[in-house]
């Protein structure tokens, strides 16, 4: 025996000094992962999309905040905006003119505009502008020099979408009231305006000097009078704001500062950011469940190795550390890939949400935000990974001899600690992303509830399939069904991931469907779908005659008188505002009330009695009030309210409360006076009608605008199309986020199939050995995947219908209806998706000779 | 009880609960082994051989009685301390080799030394693999080795920490006769070189006869404890 062979056994040879075990843990983790690395790396994909979403959104959120910070002043176009619903009064003008600021004036009102070339009309938001507004930021037009021409008073600027609608071009004419003027260019972006709302009411800008020529501004017209102010110093601005606040009751001016705008916009954007983040978080949670499931399979395959290591003297902590490192590496790989994808994805977010954001958001990766999101994602992923990893701690070294005896402690106390940490983590994240703690708890609770339902249903299905007798079914069916409850099956994971994806997407779809269905005029046959308003008293008969000539029914004629609240139950509005018990806008708003002797068919009296008429000499006038506004004002039947009807105080008593169906296209009112009181007060009329098609609509609008330029028409079929478009845009945003969950579900499906491939392989070999044809084996798998897809869809659909019912009944308050065909389609799509992904992932099991693969697996 | 005992087993009992029923696998077993002594534990299937081995090696704890290794009572140690003791004083050879499938032969042998945080394990492992005749198979994985070769790797791993006591559970149970013979020779040779106490669990009467003492178990109790003729 050579001398050098014996030295290792020589008892006299002293042992080397001991060092840290840390490097060895990493070495062992690396060695042990041989032949599993590719598989583990693929499993790490489960969290890639969740991490990517969170990183992109985190960084995007920071970009949003930066953009708000940088473009603050352009948010308003001025330092201060002061506005009134009425023409500025003498004292108001005096106050404003005395302020040390450069000023621009704007009058905004709704009116029909006419495009002679296309012979088309449309309701637009007309703005007359004087001065050098905007003082900050720029008005974006096409062509770019159009704004300069506009300031010289050469014509009008028209919303780009409106030009497209009427095929109008620069140089064509537009008629606003009695004034026809050339179109100078298309309006794209105006500091202070939200392009999202501009799509509802397209803008047409004129110079103030031209406004009078339109002859549109009657006394009762619904116009807003605005002043944009630019101050030289901050102190001047602050002094002006202080005066506006202190003299609010006297001046009756509403104002808006850059700071307020910034705060409001910031809050709105933060809400968007939080909402998106919650969407990303759901994908991350699902991915983390996938990681936990993959690690569980990996750890199960390593239990023998752990027992051997324990025999050789490794403590449970040391063995656990090795697999913890593997789990962490797997999570880290997912986090790194997810972060890289997230950074790329961040470029897509501003595009996806451009319609909601009134500012330019530049793409910039915020390292800290991205790292924070990646870190949070890694933490959540690791918490989930710990659930299966903790098994390693409980492996007894005795398992090298026998695994049949109950020598493994059934529950590791650390398991409960990890469950607790996951619950705290999810709730804490949800709370950090919602404004109210109730919402955070509801989100976490809803998610936990959905997961619990999915898990429970999956368990029940597995149990039921095992318990039931399938003797009479053909062989592939029996085998396919058995696959659902075979040991180490992935049924639970697949049911949860596919079910959750189906649930999220379908809930969004169903709610969208119900809202749009509720709005569509075809569901309200014979109900009004067009409204003519701003009809002056002397124009009413003419309009009604004109409608008759056009064969259009006048379905409702409502007089409107504007008024404000002076006191409630004997207390002045000013006192009530100071008390802050009633919301400001409820007290300050302009009430557009009507008078009539009957209750409308969109209304239902819920308390008190209807008073049809009253005499002008009465001290107290009985009125009808809408239930919601009465609740806001804190009043009920019998309470007294004094209205300021254009300078004249009118004392009223609430005779009854009404429930109003606000969704109906007709004139609905908060306050209804009895006949005989307001007939002589200055006001205007609203007329509702029903048009059959766009041709009839265009013809009617043309005639009305030609004869009564001040009368505006809203064709709700067009508005509803716009609203539908907006709903579509919003749901696109939501779906965009839900897609992360769906794709994560698909990745989970692939990993689950790959994970159980070895198991399938053994069965396939056995089946083939026993004489099963490859066709039969294929049929077994097809049945298994179809069953999985079907059962997961069914569970997801059940949850979605439940959530849809709750949302439509309690949140959106629209009719609950379930489109059965859509649900059937969802089932078919889900089954096809599961089948194709499942077969694709297990194609090697089906195609290659089984022994060849077995040899590969070692 | 002997004063220089490396392994001292006193009144050892082990009862398992399975399906709600108590099952006594080992009942009042006592014996002691001194340094360098070789001993075989024999008996029919289900007689408690493997359970006894597991208890002696500190892989499990007895229901009654105690085991001492190198003067340390295993009952007084927690799981981590018993793991340390296994690493310091015990070597294992199993019927089904129990090599880590993803580690090479060399890496498998290195583990016990590496677990102690010692350096230079590679050289020691190489020497031992050469000693068992596998100097050219260092980088082979268990799946690439024959049964006999795998058992020789397991032997090298068992001896690398120069253990005081070697537990071998049916070391030839999965080998053909010729390979088994070579492996047995190696076990005894290396055991002799290191003055290790050997505890052998086997069905093989011939193999048991090569040890100095044979303990026969029947129904979990010691049926016979005698010195062998050859010893």
């Amino acid at each position: 025996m050579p001398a050098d062979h014996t030295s290792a056994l020589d008892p006299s040879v002293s042992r080397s000094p001991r060092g840290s075990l840390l490097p060895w843990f990493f070495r062992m983790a690396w060695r042990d992962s041989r032949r599993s690395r590719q598989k583990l790396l693929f499993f790490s994909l489960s969290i890639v999309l969740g991490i990517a979403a969170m990183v992109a959104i985190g960084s995007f959120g920071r970009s949003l905040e930066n953009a708000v910070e940088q473009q603050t002043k352009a948010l308003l176009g001025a330092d201060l905006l002061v506005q009134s619903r009425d023409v500025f009064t003498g004292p108001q003008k005096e106050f404003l003119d005395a302020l040390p600021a450069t000023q621009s004036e704007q009058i905004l009102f709704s009116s029909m505009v006419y495009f002679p070339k296309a012979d088309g009309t449309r309701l637009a938001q007309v703005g007359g502008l004087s001065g050098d507004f905007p003082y900050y930021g720029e008005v974006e037009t096409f062509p770019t020099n159009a704004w300069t021409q506009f300031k010289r008073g050469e014509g009008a600027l028209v919303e780009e979408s409106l030009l497209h609608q009427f095929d109008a071009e620069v140089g064509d004419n537009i008629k606003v009231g009695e004034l026809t003027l050339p179109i100078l260019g298309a309006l794209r972006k105006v500091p202070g305006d939200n392009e999202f709302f501009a799509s509802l009411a397209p803008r047409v800008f004129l110079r103030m000097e031209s406004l009078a020529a339109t002859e549109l501004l009657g006394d009762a017209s619904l116009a807003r009078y605005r002043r944009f102010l630019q101050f030289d110093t901050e102190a001047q601005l602050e002094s002006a704001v202080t005066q506006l606040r202190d003299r609010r009751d006297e001046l009756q001016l509403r104002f808006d500062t850059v700071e307020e705008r910034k705060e409001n916009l910031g809050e709105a954007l933060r809400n968007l950011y939080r909402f998106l983040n919650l969407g990303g978080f759901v994908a991350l949670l699902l991915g983390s469940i996938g990681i936990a499931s993959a690690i569980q399979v990996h750890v199960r395959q390593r239990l023998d190795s752990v027992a051997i290591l324990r025999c050789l003297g490794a403590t449970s902590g040391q063995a656990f550390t090795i697999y913890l490192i593997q789990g962490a590496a797997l999570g880290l790989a997912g986090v790194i890939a997810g972060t890289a994808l997230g950074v790329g994805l961040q470029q897509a977010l501003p595009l996806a949400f451009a319609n909601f954001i009134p500012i330019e958001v530049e793409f910039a990766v915020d390292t800290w935000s991205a790292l924070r999101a990646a870190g949070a994602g890694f933490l959540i992923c690791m918490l989930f990974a710990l659930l299966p990893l903790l098994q390693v701690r409980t492996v007894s070294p005795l398992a090298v001899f026998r695994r049949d005896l109950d020598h493994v402690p059934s529950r590791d106390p650390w398991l409960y600690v990890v469950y607790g940490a996951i619950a705290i983590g999810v709730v804490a994240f949800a709370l950090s992303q919602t404004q109210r703690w109730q919402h955070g708890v509801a989100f976490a609770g809803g998610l936990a509830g959905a997961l619990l339902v999915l898990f429970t249903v999956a368990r029940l299905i597995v149990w039921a399939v095992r318990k039931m007798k399938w003797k009479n079914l053909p062989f592939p069916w029996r085998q396919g069904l058995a696959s659902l409850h075979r040991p180490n099956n992935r049924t639970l994971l697949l049911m949860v991931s596919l079910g959750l994806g189906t649930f999220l997407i379908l809930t969004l779809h169903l709610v969208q469907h119900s809202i749009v269905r509720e709005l569509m005029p075809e569901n309200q046959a014979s109900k009004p779908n067009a409204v003519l308003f701003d009809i002056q008293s002397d124009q009413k008969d003419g309009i009604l005659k004109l409608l008759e000539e056009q064969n259009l029914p006048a379905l409702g004629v409502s007089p409107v008188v504007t008024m404000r609240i002076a006191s409630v139950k004997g207390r002045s509005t000013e006192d009530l505002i100071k008390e802050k018990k009633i919301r400001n806008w409820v007290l300050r708003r302009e009430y557009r009330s009507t008078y009539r002797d009957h209750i409308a068919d969109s209304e239902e009296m819920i308390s008190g009695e209807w008073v049809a008429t009253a005499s002008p000499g009465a001290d107290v006038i009985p009125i009808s009030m809408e239930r919601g506004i009465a609740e806001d004002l804190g009043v009920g039947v019998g309470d007294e309210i004094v209205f300021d009807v254009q300078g004249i105080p009118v004392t009223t008593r609430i005779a009854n409360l009404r429930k109003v169906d606000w969704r109906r296209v007709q004139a609905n009112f908060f306050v209804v006076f009895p006949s005989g009181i307001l007939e002589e007060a200055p006001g205007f009329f609203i007329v509702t009608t029903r048009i059959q098609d766009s041709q009839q609509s265009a013809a009617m609008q043309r005639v009305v605008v030609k004869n009564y330029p001040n009368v505006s028409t809203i064709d709700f079929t067009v508005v509803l199309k716009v609203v539908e478009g907006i709903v579509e845009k919003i749901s696109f945003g939501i779906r965009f986020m839900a897609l992360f969950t769906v794709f994560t579900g698909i990745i989970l499906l692939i990993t689950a199939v790959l994970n159980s491939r070895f198991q399938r392989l053994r069965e396939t070999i056995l089946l083939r050995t026993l004489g099963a044809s490859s066709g039969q084996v294929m049929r077994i798998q097809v049945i298994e995947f179809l069953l999985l897809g079907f059962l997961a869809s069914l569970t997801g659909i059940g949850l979605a219908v439940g959530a849809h019912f709750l949302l439509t009944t309690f949140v959106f308050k629209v009719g609950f209806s379930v489109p059965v065909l859509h649900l059937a389609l969802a089932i078919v799509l889900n089954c096809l998706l599961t089948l194709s992904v499942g077969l694709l992932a297990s194609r090697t099991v089906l195609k290659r000779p089984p022994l060849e693969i077995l040899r590969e697996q070692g | 009880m002997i004063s220089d005992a490396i392994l001292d087993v006193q009144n050892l009992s082990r009862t398992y609960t399975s399906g709600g029923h108590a099952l006594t696998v080992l009942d009042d077993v006592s014996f002691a082994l001194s340094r360098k002594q070789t001993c075989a534990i024999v008996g029919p299937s289900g007689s408690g051989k493997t359970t006894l081995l597991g208890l002696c090696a500190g892989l499990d704890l007895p229901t009654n009685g105690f085991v001492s290794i190198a003067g340390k009572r295993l009952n007084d140690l927690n799981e981590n301390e018993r793991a340390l003791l296994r690493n310091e004083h015990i070597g294992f050879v199993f019927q089904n080799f129990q090599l880590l499938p993803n580690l090479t032969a060399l890496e498998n042998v290195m583990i016990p030394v590496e677990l102690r945080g010692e350096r230079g394990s590679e050289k020691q492992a190489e020497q031992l693999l050469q000693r068992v005749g596998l100097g050219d198979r260092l980088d082979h994985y268990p799946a690439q080795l024959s049964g006999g070769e795998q058992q020789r790797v397991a032997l090298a791993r068992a001896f690398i920490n120069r253990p005081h006591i070697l537990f071998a559970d049916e070391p030839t149970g999965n080998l053909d006769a010729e390979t088994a013979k070579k492996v047995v020779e190696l076990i005894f040779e290396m055991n002799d070189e290191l003055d290790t106490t050997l505890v052998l669990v086997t069905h093989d009467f011939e193999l048991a006869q090569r040890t100095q003492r044979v303990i026969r178990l029947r129904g979990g109790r010691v049926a016979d404890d005698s010195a062998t003729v050859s010893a």
Side-chain angles (χ1 to χ4, degrees):
Chain A
M1 194 180 305
D4 62 336
H5 293 172
T6 58
S7 62
L9 296 179
D10 187 347
S12 62
V13 175
S14 63
R15 283 170 169 167
S16 309
R18 291 181 176 213
S20 162
L21 275 180
L22 197 64
W24 180 74
F25 290 141
F26 281 95
R27 237 179 4 251
M28 270 306 288
W30 177 249
R31 289 169 182 165
D32 182 80
S33 67
R34 278 179 195 140
R35 292 191 291 176
S36 312
R37 279 176 213 148
Q38 264 184 323
K39 199 169 70 177
L40 288 173
L41 266 179
F42 189 77
F43 293 157
S44 73
L45 283 180
S46 304
I47 53 160
V48 163
L49 289 175
I51 295 279
M54 289 196 47
V55 165
I57 294 159
S59 191
F60 177 59
R62 187 75 209 132
S63 298
L64 277 180
E65 278 182 28
N66 284 341
V68 171
E69 208 52 56
Q70 284 162 11
Q71 298 167 46
T72 298
K73 297 216 161 174
L75 289 175
L76 199 59
D79 292 321
L80 181 67
L81 163 65
V82 179
Q83 59 181 329
S84 168
R85 283 266 177 206
D86 303 304
V87 180
F88 289 123
T89 59
Q92 285 174 333
K93 261 191 191 155
E94 207 175 296
F95 168 77
L96 290 170
D97 292 343
L99 290 173
T102 315
Q103 305 193 10
S104 294
E105 199 161 350
Q106 188 185 37
I107 300 175
L108 267 180
F109 59 96
S110 296
S111 171
M112 302 302 284
V113 291
Y114 174 64
F115 291 85
K117 196 174 89 177
D119 195 19
T121 52
R122 166 93 197 256
L123 183 69
Q125 174 119 282
V126 178
L129 195 64
S130 73
D132 288 330
F133 174 85
Y135 301 112
Y136 307 104
E138 278 177 11
V139 176
E140 275 182 39
T141 58
F142 178 80
T144 43
N145 64 348
W147 184 248
T148 323
Q149 284 177 283
F150 171 74
K151 280 168 93 173
R152 288 201 296 263
E154 293 170 14
L157 287 173
V158 181
E159 189 79 42
E160 194 164 36
S161 62
L162 205 53
L163 290 182
H164 290 317
Q165 189 185 344
F166 292 101
D167 275 333
E169 287 169 8
V170 173
D172 289 353
N173 283 337
I174 182 169
K175 190 177 177 206
V176 183
E178 295 301 327
L179 177 69
T180 303
L181 65 176
I183 297 169
L184 298 174
L187 264 179
R188 282 179 173 168
K189 234 177 169 72
V190 179
D193 280 5
N194 186 337
E195 273 61 39
F196 183 64
F197 293 112
S199 65
L200 261 179
R203 300 162 292 192
V204 174
F205 279 9
L206 325 170
R207 289 307 290 178
M208 192 69 88
E209 306 83 77
S210 318
L211 211 55
T214 64
E215 294 179 21
L216 286 173
L217 283 171
D219 282 346
S221 293
L222 301 174
R224 273 177 292 162
Y225 297 81
R226 294 169 143 191
R227 287 261 184 114
F228 292 97
L229 295 93
Q230 184 196 29
F231 294 87
D232 289 336
T233 65
E234 278 292 315
Q236 288 172 342
L237 169 65
E238 275 171 32
S239 154
V241 170
T242 312
Q243 288 184 66
L244 276 166
R245 264 198 200 112
D246 293 348
R247 298 173 61 190
R248 190 193 295 259
D249 298 337
E250 174 203 338
L251 288 169
Q252 295 280 337
L253 285 171
R254 283 172 58 200
F255 64 95
D256 208 352
T257 62
V258 169
E259 272 310 307
E260 275 173 21
R261 269 283 164 105
K262 192 172 112 184
E263 217 166 274
N264 292 342
L265 179 67
E267 194 50 41
L269 292 180
R270 265 191 294 279
N271 281 341
L272 171 70
Y273 157 77
R274 286 170 182 150
F275 165 74
L276 296 179
N277 228 2
L278 284 175
F281 190 61
V282 173
L284 176 72
L285 281 184
L286 191 60
S288 298
I289 294 174
I291 288 274
S293 167
I295 289 182
Q296 188 178 25
V297 174
H298 178 67
V299 164
R300 241 184 237 169
Q301 289 166 351
R302 293 296 191 274
L303 290 183
D304 285 345
S305 295
V306 175
I308 296 168
L309 280 170
R310 301 279 283 112
C311 257
L312 298 177
T315 63
S316 57
Q318 288 168 340
F320 173 70
T321 307
I322 293 168
Y323 292 95
L324 180 68
I325 290 171
Q326 284 186 353
L330 186 139
L332 203 63
V335 167
I336 290 170
T339 307
L341 184 66
V343 168
L345 196 69
Q346 199 201 329
Q347 294 183 69
L349 285 180
L351 296 177
F353 297 98
N355 289 310
F356 307 97
I357 302 166
I359 46 173
E360 296 279 336
V361 182
E362 275 181 34
F363 166 71
V365 178
D366 183 70
T367 316
W368 173 235
S369 302
L371 282 179
R372 207 173 41 184
F378 180 68
L379 199 72
I380 290 282
C381 164
M382 280 316 292
L383 280 175
F384 274 90
L386 275 176
L387 294 174
L389 282 172
L390 282 173
Q391 274 183 83
V392 172
R393 281 168 37 85
T394 59
V395 174
S396 163
L398 203 60
V400 291
F401 293 122
R402 53 206 310 168
R403 303 178 76 176
D404 53 333
L405 291 173
D406 183 21
H407 56 267
V408 178
S410 55
R411 275 280 181 260
D412 187 338
W414 278 100
L415 211 56
Y416 298 107
V417 176
V418 175
Y419 276 126
I422 288 175
I424 291 170
V426 172
V427 173
F429 185 85
L431 287 179
S432 73
Q433 301 303 316
T434 46
Q435 278 182 299
R436 294 188 190 167
W437 68 267
Q438 293 96 326
H439 292 175
V441 171
F443 171 81
L447 195 64
L451 287 174
L452 191 71
V453 168
L454 287 164
F455 267 115
T456 312
V457 171
R459 274 188 184 281
L460 276 175
I461 287 171
V462 170
W463 176 83
V465 168
R466 194 169 50 224
K467 286 284 167 193
M468 287 170 91
K469 305 284 177 221
W470 308 103
K471 278 180 190 167
N472 295 328
L473 287 176
F475 174 73
W477 276 95
R478 286 202 312 273
Q479 285 296 320
L481 281 162
S483 304
L484 294 179
H485 61 78
R486 66 150 76 92
N488 299 326
N489 70 77
R490 309 278 85 205
T491 310
L492 276 185
L493 176 72
L494 289 179
M495 287 274 300
V496 171
S497 57
L498 287 172
L500 193 64
T502 311
F503 161 55
L504 289 176
I505 293 279
L506 211 58
T507 304
L508 293 172
H509 175 77
L510 289 176
V511 171
Q512 187 188 347
H513 173 84
S514 285
I515 292 175
V516 172
R517 186 175 176 275
E518 193 79 11
L519 292 172
M520 288 313 275
E522 52 263 37
N523 294 314
Q524 301 182 352
S526 82
K527 298 274 165 35
N529 61 5
V531 177
L532 290 88
F533 63 98
D534 228 356
I535 304 165
Q536 305 302 310
S537 304
D538 58 350
Q539 296 174 325
K540 189 181 82 175
D541 295 339
I543 288 282
L544 292 177
K545 190 163 174 263
L546 197 143
L547 286 180
E548 204 182 325
E549 284 164 12
Q550 297 281 318
N551 283 329
L552 289 168
L555 294 170
V557 181
S558 305
V560 179
V561 176
T562 58
M563 57 189 71
R564 289 179 191 277
I565 291 177
S567 72
V568 179
K569 291 195 267 187
R571 309 207 52 202
S572 73
T573 314
E574 286 70 32
D575 288 348
L576 291 169
I577 286 169
K578 276 177 202 154
E579 257 181 29
K580 292 185 175 172
K581 282 184 182 161
I582 303 172
R583 279 179 294 171
N584 255 357
W585 77 271
V586 181
L587 291 164
R588 284 189 183 282
R589 63 165 291 132
E590 184 181 63
Y591 284 80
R592 288 164 208 153
S593 308
T594 192
Y595 52 90
R596 57 176 132 88
D597 58 6
H598 61 278
I599 190 159
D601 64 351
S602 63
E603 299 171 332
E604 182 192 334
M605 204 167 66
I606 51 171
S607 62
E609 57 182 38
W610 187 262
V611 180
T613 56
S615 69
D619 291 339
V620 180
I621 313 295
I623 58 162
S624 171
M625 192 163 245
E626 191 265 338
R627 179 176 62 171
I629 202 81
E631 272 172 25
D632 286 340
L633 280 166
V635 292
V637 173
D639 286 335
E640 197 180 275
I641 297 176
V642 177
F643 283 97
D644 174 353
V645 183
Q646 296 160 38
I648 300 165
V650 177
T651 307
T652 66
R653 179 182 53 80
I654 300 172
N656 65 65
L657 294 179
R658 280 168 302 129
K659 190 173 143 191
V660 175
D661 183 359
W662 292 101
R663 292 164 300 183
R664 296 268 285 275
V665 179
Q666 66 185 62
N668 287 315
F669 299 92
F670 283 133
V671 180
V672 178
F673 278 69
S675 297
I677 303 295
L678 297 175
E679 276 77 352
E680 300 308 317
F684 59 91
F685 285 84
I686 294 176
V687 172
T688 53
T689 183
R690 182 168 183 89
I691 45 177
Q692 299 304 322
D693 50 41
S694 56
Q695 273 181 330
Q696 197 179 20
S697 169
M700 181 267 281
Q701 291 188 50
R702 263 197 310 275
V703 180
V704 169
V705 88
K706 270 183 187 162
N707 293 290
Y708 304 100
N710 67 301
V711 174
S712 301
T713 311
I714 301 180
D715 177 352
F716 273 89
T717 55
V718 175
V719 174
L720 286 169
K721 268 186 193 134
V722 176
V723 171
E724 211 183 344
I726 292 168
V727 172
E728 181 56 40
K729 276 175 189 166
I730 294 171
S731 52
F732 167 76
I734 301 173
R735 270 204 300 263
F736 181 75
M737 294 315 297
L739 274 182
F740 283 90
T741 306
V742 173
F743 282 122
T744 300
I746 293 174
I747 292 172
L748 254 57
L749 175 63
I750 298 171
T751 54
V753 172
L754 286 179
N755 238 339
S756 57
R757 200 172 64 155
F758 194 66
Q759 177 103 14
R760 286 167 196 282
L761 198 66
R762 286 190 175 285
E763 282 180 9
T764 306
I765 294 165
L766 193 63
L767 286 171
R768 284 202 195 167
T769 314
L770 295 174
S773 67
S774 56
Q776 278 174 314
V777 175
M778 171 78 144
R779 275 199 291 283
I780 291 169
Q781 299 215 346
V782 167
I783 288 165
E784 185 194 346
F785 289 128
L786 279 180
L787 280 171
L788 270 174
F790 177 72
L791 293 170
S793 317
L794 228 49
T795 320
I797 284 173
L799 275 171
V801 170
H804 175 220
F805 173 74
L806 294 176
L807 287 170
T808 48
T809 312
F810 298 108
V811 181
F812 298 107
K813 299 192 173 157
V814 293
F816 169 75
S817 71
V818 178
V820 180
L821 263 179
H822 292 203
L823 300 187
L825 190 68
I827 293 180
V828 172
L829 283 176
N830 235 340
C831 288
L832 285 178
L833 181 75
T834 317
L835 181 65
S836 44
V837 171
L839 288 182
L840 206 67
S842 57
R843 67 190 190 285
T844 49
V845 176
L846 291 167
K847 282 192 170 175
R848 292 169 61 193
L851 275 176
E852 186 186 315
I853 308 168
L854 263 188
R855 244 180 247 122
E856 247 176 45
Q857 303 274 341
Chain B
M1 185 171 170
I2 43 178
S3 57
D4 63 337
I6 192 79
L7 173 69
D8 189 8
V9 176
Q10 292 299 321
N11 311 110
L12 210 58
S13 299
R14 183 63 170 104
T15 303
Y16 292 107
T17 309
S18 184
H21 297 286
L23 178 70
T24 300
V25 183
L26 220 56
D27 187 13
D28 199 26
V29 172
S30 298
F31 67 93
L33 294 174
S34 58
R35 202 174 169 104
K36 301 184 200 175
Q37 204 175 358
T38 58
C39 168
I41 298 170
V42 297
S45 293
S47 60
K49 302 186 299 290
T50 304
T51 303
L52 178 60
L53 190 72
L55 288 169
C56 289
L59 303 179
D60 194 10
L61 285 176
T63 315
N64 281 308
F66 67 85
V67 174
S68 291
I69 288 180
K72 282 183 186 159
R73 271 199 191 202
L74 301 188
N75 295 37
D76 300 337
L77 305 179
N78 65 27
E79 178 51 45
N80 285 346
E81 289 166 336
R82 290 201 301 276
L84 196 67
L85 182 124
R86 281 197 294 275
N87 181 258
E88 292 264 351
H89 299 296
I90 299 172
F92 283 101
V93 177
F94 304 98
Q95 178 177 0
N96 49 0
F97 327 126
Q98 299 287 22
L99 298 177
L100 295 175
N102 290 340
L103 270 62
T104 62
L106 185 70
E107 287 165 349
N108 261 291
V109 178
M110 282 156 61
I111 290 177
V113 185
E114 288 182 325
L115 260 174
R116 295 155 62 94
E118 286 179 17
R119 297 198 184 97
S121 58
E122 195 168 335
K123 196 174 163 220
Q124 284 181 65
E126 254 185 66
Q127 287 171 347
L128 270 168
L129 282 170
Q130 279 167 5
R131 168 73 183 83
V132 297
L134 293 173
D136 56 343
R137 314 284 263 175
L138 303 182
D139 293 327
H140 284 60
Y141 290 98
Q144 297 166 316
L145 300 171
S146 70
E149 287 170 331
Q150 286 190 57
Q151 195 60 300
R152 280 188 277 162
V153 174
L155 259 179
R157 184 179 67 184
F159 280 107
I160 195 164
N161 263 354
R162 300 190 290 269
H164 289 133
I165 184 161
L166 176 74
F167 291 105
D169 180 30
E170 300 279 9
T172 56
N174 279 357
L175 304 175
D176 63 77
E178 199 173 330
T179 311
K181 201 176 158 190
K182 284 180 191 165
V183 167
V184 167
E185 288 307 323
L186 256 174
I187 290 175
F188 280 94
E189 271 176 30
M190 291 170 82
N191 193 58
D192 194 41
E193 284 166 29
L194 269 176
D195 296 337
T196 309
T197 302
L198 173 68
V199 179
L200 198 68
V201 167
T202 184
H203 277 105
D204 184 345
F205 180 73
E206 209 176 309
L207 175 59
Q209 287 303 310
R210 289 196 57 169
T211 62
Q212 296 158 343
R213 182 176 170 185
V214 176
I215 297 171
R216 271 174 224 283
L217 290 181
R218 186 167 298 132
R221 301 180 72 95
V222 177
D224 183 35
D225 183 354
S226 57
T228 55
V229 180
S230 61

